[in-house]
Amino acid sequence: MTNPLAWQADPDGYQVVVFRYEAGIFSVLLVRPAGTLRDLRHDAAFDAACRAVPGLDDWTDPDRAAPITPVLPGGRLHNRYRPQPGIDGLVLAGDAVCTTTPMFGRGLATTMMQARELLRLLDRGAPGDFGAWCDAEMRPWVDDHVRSDACTRLLWTGADVPDGPLSSSLVLAAAEADPRIGAFCGDYLAMTAGPSALAAAEPLAREVYDSGWRPAPSDGPTRDELARIIRTAVPA
């Protein structure tokens, strides 16, 4: 594991995440820019990609693990927030309120946070306050993912760190170069505080990037190299 939640690698141009579940089951998530690496939907190509990425090859070693499903292509994984409809007796909750792309695995957490708050408001006889709570507590997570995903897509094109406010993903990455940033990351990652918890760390992160430091890609083939690897694995 590279962090308490998952095993993660960030090679040049794509991302790999392994999520653990119960009973020894885990999933492998290969995150790519739209329109690239489409052959990953084929089992043989996916297996070839798993063998090509250092660390992931250990997780998916046939002597250690066996697939229990075919490759499951992700679709319509949008960052989306939906306000309450304002219809008496109807309350949206869970994914009906917000969805975020799965790199941080936040869907269960946001749903349970909503359930807890909705039950609290029902006990107080004030379910109508749920919409304002969602606006204040859930929408920031969606907005945070929008900014981070946009930044990731930009960097995957070969662009440099943009000027202006830094995405949460860039602030987190800068903790590698400045350990002081790590003190601000725990509550954000545990979701015991919202994305604004990283605001105080942003000036430190900007200093890191202004110094010329950039996060090094993880070991493994670049996206173009991975494309060639999986292309040879797909039957003609």
Side-chain angles (χ1 to χ4, degrees), residues 19-30:
F19 290 113
R20 291 178 58 202
Y21 307 104
E22 69 280 358
I25 296 172
F26 63 92
S27 63
V28 176
L29 180 66
L30 290 170

Side-chain angles (χ1 to χ4, degrees), residues 33-46:
T36 66
L37 303 180
R38 291 179 175 175
D39 282 341
L40 284 170
R41 68 186 185 276
H42 300 290
D43 289 354
F46 196 92

